[in-house]
Amino acid sequence: MAQTINAGATPIPDFDAIIIGAGMSGLYQLYRLREQGLRIRVFEAGTEVGGTWYWNRYPGARFDSESYSYGYSFSQELLQEWEWSEHFAGQPETLRYLNHVADKFDLRRDIQFRSRVTAAVYAEDTRSWTITLEDGAQHSTRFLITAIGPLSTPTLPRIEGRDDFKGASFHTARWPKAPVDFSGKRVAVIGTGATGVQTIQTIAGQVGHLTVFQRTPNWCAPLHNGKIDAETQAKIKASYPDMFARCKETFACFLHTPDPRGAFEVSDEEREAFYEKLYAERGFGIWQGNFKDILIDRKANATISEFVARKIRQRVKNQAVAEKLIPRNHGFGTRRLPLETFYYEVYNQDNVELVDINETPIERITPDGIRTSDREYIFDIIIYATGFDAITGSFDKIDFRGVGGARLTDKWKRGPETYLGIMVHEFPNMLMLMGPHTALGNIPRSIEYSVDWVTGLILFAMEKRLTRLEATPEGVKFWTDHVKALGEGLLSNEVNSWMTGINSNVEGKQTRIVARYSGSAPAYRARCDEVAAKGYAELRLG
Ligand code: NA7
C-alpha cells in the first residue's frame, strides 16, 4: 500500500515520517511504518545501528534484564533463529543482534548514518517539519518521530583541568571501537553507577592499578549471569509466548513480579530467608520481585537495606572500605539498582583503591592525573563513568521549534510537560518514543508498545486524511499532573538520581523533577489504548 500523507496540504514533504535515531526504538519504528508503504528516513548520528548498544562499548557493558526478555518480540522467526549465549548478554552480542535485525529486515537502506540532527522546525502552512543536520542539509516530513533515547547524552564532570590530562581519557558512553590495553596501566574510574560498577569489576583484573573515585555508593546486588545451554535454549524458545505475556502483566515489564506480601507480614526468619533467596537468584528479582512495600515504606525498605549492608560487610575484607561502600543517603532500590559480578570482591585486591571524594574532594585534573585535597594520584588512563543528561538531555541538544517558533526547551524549563509522554502541545505531528513521562522499565517491551501506538495513530491519520495532530493544553495538563501524582509516596522520588532529573554536571539540573512515568506499565498501556479506542478524540485533529 504505497500512499502519502497529504490531504491537500502542499508542497508534499520529502518524507511521511522522519525518525531521529537508529537504536532499538528507531529500528522497530522504521520496520512498522515501512510495512505500511510509507516514505521513511531515519537519521542516525553514529556510523551503525544500535543506539545505546552502539555507543556504550565500555568493558563489561551488559544487560541487567534477562536477554530473552529484552529482545524484540514482534517476529516469531527472529525469536526462533536468534540464540542468546548468556542469561545477560554482553554489549558485543547485543550489537550483533541489532545488526542482525537491521540485515534481516533490510532496514539500512532507509537509514542515513553520520547524520546528527541539530534542529527541527514546524511550519504551520505546510503542516510539516523541517530537520537540519550538522552539515546543514535539510529534509521535510509530515511526522517527526524522536527515538533519541532516555540515556544518550553523556556528561563529563565539571572538574578543572580536564583537558590538561596527558594520558588517555574516555567517557564510558563514548568508548573507542579499538580495544583499550589496560595491562600494567594506572587507571582511574570516576563514578560508581551501573556503568561504573560494570567497568570496575571488568577491568580490575586487567589493570596494573585501579583507583575508584566514589562520590555516592550505590546499593548493588549479584547478577548471577551464566551461559545458556542447549536444553535451556530450547525451553526459552518454547516459552516465548508465556514470557512476553508475563512481561505484559508485570509492573515494569520485567519477568519479576512483586511479592504480594508486605515486609512485616512475615516473621523475621521468613523475611531473612526470602532476602537470602532473592540475593542468590538471577537478575532484578531482589528489586522488582521483592516485598510489595520496600520501595514505598521506609521501615520496610530499611530491612532490605540492612540485609544488603550485611552482605557488603561480609564480602569486603577491610571493614573501613566496606563502610564506605554502603549507601547512607538512600535506601535499597530507590535508585536504579546496579547488578554486579564480584564487584565488592574487587576491593579485596591489592591493586585496587577506593577514594571517597566526600572525605578528600577532587580539586582538579592535572597533566599527570587527579589531585584531591589529600594528594595527587598519577594515572595513564582516566575513565569517566559519570552518566548522562538523562531523559530530557537529548531533547535539549536539538533546537525543536513548534508553532510560531516556540522552543521546546522553554516549554520544559520547569520540567517536561507531555501528553502520554508521546506528544507536546504546540508541537503538532511530533511523536516521542521513550521520551519523558513514558513507562520505561524493561525498555524494549515499552518500546514495542509505544511504536505500535504511534504507528496506529499515523495509520488513523492516513485513513482520515488528517495532516495535523496536536495534544491539547488540557490533555497535557491532565497527563503531567497525573504523572506527578503517581510519583508521590515513592521513595525513589525523594532521592537525587538521573531518574529524578538530577545531574550535577549540567547547569540547571539540580532540582528534582518528575521526569518518568512511575505508575505500572499495564496502567500506562490501558490509558493509551483507551485514547486510541475513542478515536483519539482528546487530540486536536485537523
Ligand atoms: P549514573 O547512574 O548517573 O552514575 C553516574 C556516576 O557518576 C554516579 O556514581 C555519580 O555520582 C558519578 N558522578 C557524576 N558526576 C560526578 C562528578 N562530577 N564527580 C564525581 N562523581 C560523579 O550513570 P550510569 O552511566 O552509571 O548509569 C546510567 C544508566 O544507564 C543506568 O541506570 C542504566 O539504566 C543504564 P553521584 O551518584 O551523582 O554522587
Side-chain angles (χ1 to χ4, degrees):
M1 169 180 58
Q3 52 179 295
T4 268
I5 306 165
N6 190 58
T10 52
I12 299 174
D14 301 338
F15 299 102
D16 297 319
I18 281 179
I19 301 166
I20 312 178
M24 283 202 82
S25 307
L27 290 178
Y28 181 48
Q29 185 67 79
L30 167 61
Y31 169 82
R32 290 286 275 128
L33 289 177
R34 210 174 60 185
E35 216 179 27
Q36 303 298 328
L38 300 188
R39 298 167 309 136
I40 312 297
R41 178 60 55 87
V42 179
F43 293 99
E44 164 58 51
T47 59
E48 255 307 334
V49 299
T52 286
W53 301 104
Y54 167 87
W55 294 104
N56 286 272
R57 299 164 185 267
Y58 63 85
R62 68 173 61 250
F63 289 151
D64 284 339
S65 300
E66 289 74 5
S67 310
Y68 26 89
S69 79
Y70 193 99
Y72 290 116
S73 71
F74 69 87
S75 160
Q76 283 311 313
E77 208 179 276
L78 175 64
L79 285 168
Q80 293 307 317
E81 75 193 7
W82 185 262
E83 309 223 316
W84 293 106
S85 68
E86 292 178 283
H87 288 277
F88 303 90
Q91 174 271 338
E93 185 168 344
T94 308
L95 189 57
R96 272 201 305 280
Y97 169 75
L98 292 172
N99 274 284
H100 172 75
V101 171
D103 289 336
K104 181 176 176 68
F105 300 106
D106 189 20
L107 299 177
R108 281 195 191 79
R109 68 183 152 92
D110 290 313
I111 307 174
Q112 189 174 314
F113 295 101
R114 295 183 176 84
S115 300
R116 186 174 289 281
V117 174
T118 56
V121 179
Y122 177 73
E124 197 64 272
D125 53 348
T126 55
R127 297 180 163 197
S128 67
W129 284 87
T130 298
I131 61 117
T132 305
L133 301 175
E134 220 161 20
D135 66 5
Q138 294 192 317
H139 303 274
S140 61
T141 178
R142 175 72 66 225
F143 291 104
L144 177 65
I145 303 176
T146 64
I148 53 184
L151 292 156
S152 46
T153 297
T155 46
L156 287 162
R158 294 189 283 188
I159 305 174
E160 219 183 309
R162 228 182 46 220
D163 295 335
D164 300 343
F165 183 59
K166 289 187 302 202
S169 61
F170 313 103
H171 189 287
T172 45
R174 289 293 177 271
W175 201 262
K177 287 185 183 167
V180 174
D181 180 11
F182 289 109
S183 50
K185 299 274 172 26
R186 295 159 298 183
V187 181
V189 175
I190 303 180
T192 51
T195 302
V197 166
Q198 289 186 333
T199 306
I200 291 161
Q201 69 195 12
T202 306
I203 64 170
Q206 304 168 20
V207 299
H209 192 276
L210 176 64
T211 310
V212 175
F213 291 88
Q214 173 187 270
R215 187 166 65 185
T216 313
N218 281 299
W219 296 103
C220 308
L223 175 68
H224 295 301
N225 195 12
K227 297 262 179 242
I228 298 175
D229 59 27
E231 194 189 330
T232 312
Q233 192 78 254
K235 277 191 194 147
I236 289 169
K237 288 188 181 180
S239 65
Y240 271 130
D242 290 346
M243 200 152 49
F244 291 125
R246 179 156 189 197
C247 289
K248 240 189 178 141
E249 286 165 10
T250 60
F251 193 89
C253 311
F254 292 105
L255 287 170
H256 312 275
T257 329
D259 192 284
R261 299 168 299 173
F264 297 108
E265 288 172 30
V266 298
S267 68
D268 291 355
E269 293 71 30
E270 278 174 296
R271 190 184 318 114
E272 182 76 7
F274 183 55
Y275 288 161
E276 284 289 357
K277 175 177 159 294
L278 291 174
Y279 201 75
E281 281 174 1
R282 282 202 172 96
F284 275 145
I286 197 164
W287 190 31
Q288 298 291 321
N290 211 315
F291 292 120
K292 66 175 182 193
D293 51 358
I294 64 144
L295 300 178
I296 45 176
D297 181 287
R298 237 170 273 283
K299 283 191 179 147
N301 184 275
T303 63
I304 181 70
S305 298
E306 281 156 21
F307 173 87
V308 178
R310 259 184 282 134
K311 289 287 180 195
I312 298 171
R313 291 186 185 107
Q314 284 162 15
R315 291 174 59 183
V316 178
K317 287 187 188 143
N318 180 328
Q319 288 305 293
V321 175
E323 292 309 315
K324 285 183 185 170
L325 290 164
I326 297 172
R328 312 280 165 191
N329 67 353
H330 66 283
F332 178 88
T334 61
R335 288 172 135 202
R336 199 285 204 179
L337 183 76
L339 292 182
E340 47 85 25
T341 305
F342 301 122
Y343 172 66
Y344 291 108
E345 285 73 12
V346 157
Y347 296 98
N348 297 333
Q349 289 180 211
D350 290 340
N351 68 334
V352 177
E353 181 179 3
L354 178 68
V355 176
D356 180 345
I357 59 169
N358 300 296
E359 286 173 5
T360 54
I362 295 177
E363 288 182 343
R364 62 172 299 132
I365 311 279
T366 66
D368 298 315
I370 294 176
R371 196 171 74 215
T372 67
S373 58
D374 179 42
R375 52 169 275 215
E376 184 179 12
Y377 296 79
I378 309 298
F379 296 115
D380 303 301
I381 300 173
I382 298 178
I383 298 175
Y384 297 104
T386 45
F388 302 88
D389 186 357
I391 303 186
T392 53
S394 299
F395 287 90
D396 295 344
K397 290 262 177 209
I398 298 173
D399 188 9
F400 287 102
R401 302 289 187 99
V403 174
R407 283 176 197 263
L408 191 62
T409 45
D410 288 342
K411 209 174 213 357
W412 286 359
K413 212 177 258 163
R414 288 183 307 280
E417 296 182 355
T418 78
Y419 176 70
L420 305 176
I422 298 176
M423 299 175 81
V424 182
H425 173 57
E426 291 185 316
F427 289 75
N429 297 355
M430 181 173 113
L431 302 157
M432 303 181 292
L433 298 172
M434 301 300 101
H437 296 176
T438 32
L440 298 173
N442 190 13
I443 206 159
R445 306 281 65 80
S446 305
I447 287 172
E448 284 187 334
Y449 178 79
S450 289
V451 166
D452 289 347
W453 195 91
V454 162
T455 306
L457 177 59
I458 291 178
L459 294 184
F460 172 84
M462 285 167 61
E463 193 190 312
K464 303 280 181 204
R465 301 183 69 73
L466 301 169
T467 50
R468 193 181 189 285
L469 312 174
E470 187 187 8
T472 63
E474 302 76 39
V476 168
K477 182 169 181 336
F478 182 83
W479 184 253
T480 304
D481 288 349
H482 175 59
V483 170
K484 285 182 184 164
L486 285 170
E488 275 165 32
L490 290 180
L491 298 178
S492 59
N493 278 344
E494 298 167 14
V495 170
N496 287 355
S497 75
W498 68 258
M499 300 201 288
T500 48
I502 298 290
N503 187 318
S504 66
N505 306 309
V506 181
E507 203 64 56
K509 300 228 167 162
Q510 277 74 51
T511 311
R512 278 183 221 144
I513 57 165
V514 179
R516 290 178 315 142
Y517 173 87
S518 45
S520 78
Y524 176 77
R525 289 191 298 263
R527 176 76 188 107
C528 294
D529 285 349
E530 185 194 352
V531 171
K534 290 186 177 160
Y536 309 96
E538 289 178 22
L539 296 177
R540 197 172 282 160
L541 304 170

